Amino acid sequence: MAASPEEQEAAMQHMAQASAAVAMATTELEYRVELLNRMVSTCYDRCAARPFKEGALSIGEISCVDRCCSKYWQTVAIVGQLLGSKQGQ
C-alpha cells in the first residue's frame, strides 16, 4: 500500500524536525563540553601549585578547586538567566 502525498509530506516534516532536534542537542552538548573544559582549565591554573610537590592535591588546593567550580557554575547560571531574559523581550 503506497503512502499518500499528504502522508509522505508529514513524514518528511517529521524527519526534518527530528534532524533539527538532533542538531540542537549536538550543539548544546558541544557547548557544555567546552564550558566544562574551560572551567577545568581555569580552576586548575588558579588552584594547582607548580611545580608539583605531591601526587595528589593538597587540602588547600582541593578547597580552592571546589570554590572555583562553584563560582564558575553560579556565574554560568546567572549569565544564562540574563541571556534567557533578553531573548524573551
Side-chain angles (χ1 to χ4, degrees):
M1 181 179 239
S4 69
E6 293 82 19
E7 290 173 333
Q8 289 177 350
E9 180 65 28
M12 293 295 284
Q13 287 178 353
H14 179 70
M15 287 175 47
Q17 289 173 347
S19 179
V22 168
M24 191 165 34
T26 300
T27 301
E28 177 71 15
L29 182 61
E30 289 171 352
Y31 165 75
R32 294 289 177 170
V33 167
E34 178 62 28
L35 199 60
L36 182 63
N37 286 339
R38 272 191 262 144
M39 181 194 67
V40 168
S41 177
T42 298
C43 293
Y44 177 80
D45 289 343
R46 289 183 183 174
C47 298
R50 288 182 201 81
F52 299 114
K53 300 172 187 164
E54 302 173 13
L57 294 174
S58 69
I59 297 297
E61 290 169 328
I62 291 170
S63 195
C64 178
V65 168
D66 185 50
R67 283 190 313 273
C68 181
C69 291
S70 177
K71 289 178 184 178
Y72 200 92
W73 286 121
Q74 287 174 350
T75 303
V76 167
I78 291 169
V79 170
Q81 289 174 349
L82 290 173
L83 289 176
S85 68
K86 294 267 186 201
Q87 288 178 348
Q89 292 179 353

